[in-house]
Amino acid sequence: MLFLITLYILLYIYNILSLLQHPPSHNIIIFPSNSLFHHHTSFHCLIFTFFFLPIMFWYLIAIIASGLFLKILLKTSVLQIVKKWWRFLEDGCYVYQFYRVPQFNHNMQENQLYRKVCTYLNSLPCVEDSDFTNLISGDKSNEISLVLDSNQIVVDKFLGARVFWINEKDEFTGLKSLVMKIRKKDKRRILQPYLQYIHSVFDEIEQRKKEVRLFVNVDNEPQRNGRWRSVPFAHPATFDTVVMDTDLKNRVKSDLESFQKSKQYYHRLGRVWKRSYLLYGPSGTGKSTFIAGIANLLNYDVYDVDLSKVTDDSDLKMLLLQTTNKSLIVIEDLDRYLGTKSTAPSLSGILNFMDGIFSCCGEERIMIYTINNKDQIDPTVLRPGRIDVHIHFPLCNFNSFKTLANSHLGLKDHKLFPQVEEIFQTGAALSPAEIGEIMISNRSSPTRALKTVISALQINTESRAATRHARRLSESGSVRAAEETGESGIFCKENLREFKKLYGLLRVRSCRKDSSYEFDTSDKDNSRHDN
Ligand SMILES: Nc1ncnc2c1ncn2[C@@H]1O[C@H](COP(=O)(O)OP(=O)(O)OP(=O)(O)O)[C@@H](O)[C@H]1O
Ligand SMILES: [Mg+2]
């Protein structure tokens, strides 16, 4: 309609202009597509004045009025009132079923379902839409939670059905209850899954709120109550801060997340709901840091089993039985215990522990073992089922170096990067811990940090060459000759000394008795040079 009116006006203006430019020798008006329209000017004027002008006028009035009306609807409570009327009308058309969830049962014990539903409802975004909501400070300092007030209604949606919750409070007794109202026709379809859904959301919320704790096993003393001692777990590592192959990291993350959701699956298979990870790689490659990242990702408590404090197999069994659900059970440096014959828990005790047969009463546990070298481990320990996922933590390559440079020094690129890449290609390898330490100590000067990394990598290459050389000598039986000349030994010691100098940084002065620390002078020289 608007388009037609606009078109008509444009044509009319065009006509007037044409008339002004070419005074009519005849009274035919040429329209843009002149073969279509041939009309008299006066006729057009009449139609325009008495037909289209009034229509346009009322049309404009209608637009303005509806705009104003919409504004009033949105800015005032009229829309809410209209919604309420509409709901009232709808309510009249359906038959509803009501369910009451009282805060206390008949023996005045707290009804756990009430607590769960309350937590669930308060987590819904639509709580904000209720007429009255309480603002309560949360557990964390800057957290504010919305809590539904008495006699408020919340409308939830589940599997296409609408579920109404009314927060009722008895005026005389002061007892609270939540009343669920659903259409009778939806009742059979949604009630059971909806209640289960509330349970799972509640569990998730509780898990997120929970303070993660680190448990360590203490010596087995009879007077002590329980074997675990705990402290709040405050490790800052997250999945994002651990430097490792992005694809691998994402795969581990999705593996962990799918494990969390697999309760039914494990039960169906008749398996203990646990998953075992083996983290293996040289020292300082981030295995322990990764465990902290997992704990922070899942909000699971960490049980760090110190096998040296375990007296025998039954003690190990007791320790496992005293762990809780939703926890990480960690044995660091497992290879160290398996390597020594004299460990208190026997190999079969450790294998049973790994199989999780003691944890028959617990669920949702993640077992993590760390070792430095997989080759020296008995293959039965690593068989599938005992260890589900093997994750390798390698020494730094150029890619992980770049990630470290970005996170530690804020460097995306640098003129020294090609040189670093070249050294990595020669086979030089340092652990992320070593490179990270150099970067942290030299963070005030990224160039100095990179130069130090390059020197450290060069020294590492030379040491490797020296070690290879020494090995060759020993294999050829001439090791004694080498020892006499001190060839390999001196070389390694020298390198080691230089390497230590590069770190830097903090060196114990042997001449001081109080073991105080001071900055290495070479570092000061460096910094002067760099600035
Ligand atoms: N991949 C990495 N990503 C981020 N930081 C790392 C990484 N590897 C090592 N680090 C840093 O190096 C230090 C030592 O790392 P971590 O203790 O996790 O190594 P590890 O593999 O457990 O060594 P070990 O085998 O000796 O126990 C930590 O401070 C950590 O921040
Ligand atoms: Mg470690």
Side-chain angles (χ1 to χ4, degrees), residues 158-348:
F158 186 75
L159 297 177
R162 295 210 305 166
V163 185
F164 300 84
W165 283 100
I166 306 139
N167 188 14
E168 283 190 358
K169 186 173 179 184
D170 193 301
E171 277 184 20
F172 299 108
T173 58
L175 291 178
K176 293 180 190 168
S177 56
L178 288 160
V179 177
M180 175 170 61
K181 181 176 124 180
I182 44 176
R183 286 180 192 162
K184 270 211 162 134
K185 75 177 177 75
D186 294 327
K187 182 181 76 173
R188 246 177 250 294
R189 185 171 61 90
I190 69 152
L191 188 63
Q192 280 305 325
Y194 183 58
L195 290 177
Q196 268 171 13
Y197 175 70
I198 290 178
H199 273 287
S200 63
V201 174
F202 171 80
D203 285 348
E204 243 174 63
I205 294 171
E206 288 293 293
Q207 185 63 27
R208 259 186 277 133
K209 278 202 300 197
K210 196 184 82 175
E211 183 199 48
V212 178
R213 295 190 76 80
L214 170 68
F215 291 80
V216 287
N217 55 316
V218 289
D219 283 321
N220 192 5
E221 290 167 17
Q223 68 271 25
R224 279 191 195 264
N225 182 18
R227 295 291 313 282
W228 295 104
R229 291 287 169 275
S230 75
V231 287
F233 182 77
H235 201 296
T238 64
F239 245 61
D240 295 332
T241 58
V242 179
V243 177
M244 66 192 285
D245 179 68
T246 318
D247 184 42
L248 175 66
K249 201 195 287 189
N250 289 339
R251 273 192 288 147
V252 177
K253 197 172 178 186
S254 64
D255 188 74
L256 288 165
E257 283 165 353
S258 89
F259 166 77
Q260 275 190 301
K261 294 175 198 145
S262 307
K263 182 177 182 175
Q264 306 300 336
Y265 179 72
Y266 276 80
H267 279 195
R268 196 152 43 80
L269 296 180
R271 288 179 71 131
V272 179
W273 187 19
K274 73 163 184 73
R275 194 143 179 88
S276 311
Y277 294 83
L278 176 78
L279 316 186
Y280 67 98
S283 186
T285 47
K287 298 181 292 295
S288 306
T289 314
F290 193 64
I291 296 173
I294 295 179
N296 284 330
L297 175 80
L298 305 177
N299 247 34
Y300 279 11
D301 288 331
V302 180
Y303 286 87
D304 189 1
V305 183
D306 182 351
L307 284 181
S308 68
K309 293 210 166 75
V310 176
T311 49
D312 50 31
D313 290 356
S314 67
D315 191 29
L316 186 62
K317 187 174 172 177
M318 277 316 294
L319 277 176
L320 193 55
L321 286 172
Q322 285 171 11
T323 59
T324 52
N325 294 349
K326 294 182 184 290
S327 56
L328 299 182
I329 297 170
V330 179
I331 301 187
E332 292 245 40
D333 305 320
L334 181 66
D335 43 354
R336 198 152 46 91
Y337 296 105
L338 294 175
T340 50
K341 294 269 178 298
S342 59
T343 49
S346 66
L347 178 65
S348 81

Side-chain angles (χ1 to χ4, degrees), residues 55-78:
I55 286 182
M56 273 173 57
F57 174 75
W58 287 113
Y59 185 73
L60 276 175
I61 295 284
I63 290 176
I64 293 167
S66 48
L68 276 174
F69 182 67
L70 265 179
K71 201 165 181 182
I72 290 169
L73 272 186
L74 293 175
K75 294 266 172 184
T76 64
S77 56
V78 179

Side-chain angles (χ1 to χ4, degrees), residues 34-169:
N34 60 9
S35 58
L36 287 176
F37 301 100
H38 291 265
H39 294 290
H40 291 280
T41 320
S42 53
F43 176 70
H44 275 279
C45 281
L46 271 176
I47 291 187
F48 184 78
T49 317
F50 292 105
F51 185 67
F52 277 100
L53 263 186
I55 286 182
M56 273 173 57
F57 174 75
W58 287 113
Y59 185 73
L60 276 175
I61 295 284
I63 290 176
I64 293 167
S66 48
L68 276 174
F69 182 67
L70 265 179
K71 201 165 181 182
I72 290 169
L73 272 186
L74 293 175
K75 294 266 172 184
T76 64
S77 56
V78 179
L79 193 63
Q80 296 299 324
I81 294 168
V82 173
K83 268 190 185 171
K84 267 190 186 164
W85 284 345
W86 180 251
R87 210 179 289 156
F88 183 71
L89 273 176
E90 262 192 333
D91 285 1
C93 303
Y94 292 100
V95 185
Y96 285 94
Q97 176 84 41
F98 292 84
Y99 296 88
R100 183 180 294 281
V101 184
Q103 189 179 9
F104 297 103
N105 67 14
H106 297 305
N107 302 326
M108 289 312 279
Q109 285 164 329
E110 195 186 0
N111 179 4
Q112 289 302 315
L113 184 61
Y114 177 85
R115 198 163 73 87
K116 291 185 179 184
V117 178
C118 266
T119 309
Y120 168 73
L121 291 179
N122 290 327
S123 76
L124 294 177
C126 59
V127 168
E128 283 178 34
D129 299 337
S130 70
D131 295 344
F132 208 105
T133 316
N134 297 306
L135 296 176
I136 310 263
S137 64
D139 299 335
K140 290 174 191 148
S141 59
N142 54 355
E143 194 182 64
I144 293 173
S145 333
L146 298 178
V147 177
L148 202 64
D149 202 55
S150 315
N151 301 319
Q152 296 300 307
I153 300 175
V154 169
V155 188
D156 191 15
K157 278 203 176 120
F158 186 75
L159 297 177
R162 295 210 305 166
V163 185
F164 300 84
W165 283 100
I166 306 139
N167 188 14
E168 283 190 358
K169 186 173 179 184

